[in-house]
Each structure stands twice: as structure tokens, then as C-alpha cells.
Amino acid sequence: MLEEAAAKALAAALGPHKATIHRNHGLFTVGHTVDEAAWWFITMERSCQAQLLAEAAGTPVIIDDEGARYTREFSASPYSGWLSFQPLWDEISRSEPDLFD
């Protein structure tokens, strides 16, 4: 029953959001499609790396709420996530055909 409780806690932490950071297990993302969820994972990982680099370089410049909302509105839809993953999927399919055997 521990796994079920952990799954419920993770779902509660996600709420209406598409990503969360778990203290012991790292990043979790969800989406309307597997492609979308994969893209949010990749984007979240890249964002975390950028944040760590920015903090290592000094004091990061914080994006204002209005700018963050604007960016989310135009780049964080389920379709955007799915579409952003397609070039990566094409590259994986081309370069690693054995994955499908």
C-alpha cells in the first residue's frame, strides 16, 4: 500500500500542473500524449540545468510574473509540447531503428 500512497501524493503534488520535482526521485511530467510528457521532461531538465548554471554564475535575473504568464500562454499548450517533441522523435527513429525491433 506504500506505492499507492506515494502515487496519490505525487498526483496531489502535480494537481493541475504538468511537472513536479520529487525530492528523492527527480522530475515527473505528464501530458495528454507520451510525446508531450516527454517534451515537458526534456524542457524541465534543461530548465533545471539553466537555473543551476545561472545561480553558479551569480544572482539570476528573475522573470516577472507577466512575462512568465505570457510565455506560458503561447508555448505551454499540449499541442506545443507534442509538436516540440516531433523533431526529436524523427531523429531517434532515424538514428536508432533497432529500438523498434
Side-chain angles (χ1 to χ4, degrees):
M1 286 307 180
L2 182 60
E3 293 85 9
E4 184 178 343
K8 287 181 179 183
L10 178 61
L14 272 166
H17 307 289
K18 61 178 63 103
T20 190
I21 302 173
H22 188 281
R23 182 182 308 160
N24 298 322
H25 300 290
L27 306 176
F28 286 89
T29 59
V30 296
H32 292 89
T33 64
V34 172
D35 293 9
E36 180 193 352
W39 182 252
W40 298 141
F41 185 91
I42 292 165
T43 300
M44 184 76 166
E45 183 175 38
R46 289 176 180 171
S47 296
C48 289
Q49 290 171 355
Q51 180 72 29
L52 290 172
L53 288 170
E55 289 176 356
T59 304
V61 176
I62 305 299
I63 299 171
D64 64 88
D65 290 347
E66 183 180 341
R69 282 190 198 95
Y70 178 84
T71 301
R72 180 189 65 202
E73 183 177 331
F74 290 100
S75 65
S77 71
Y79 179 71
S80 295
W82 175 85
L83 185 64
S84 295
F85 186 73
Q86 297 315 296
L88 182 56
W89 175 253
D90 291 343
E91 176 60 22
I92 292 167
S93 299
R94 185 192 63 73
S95 64
E96 302 291 337
D98 294 345
L99 289 174
F100 305 103
D101 290 341

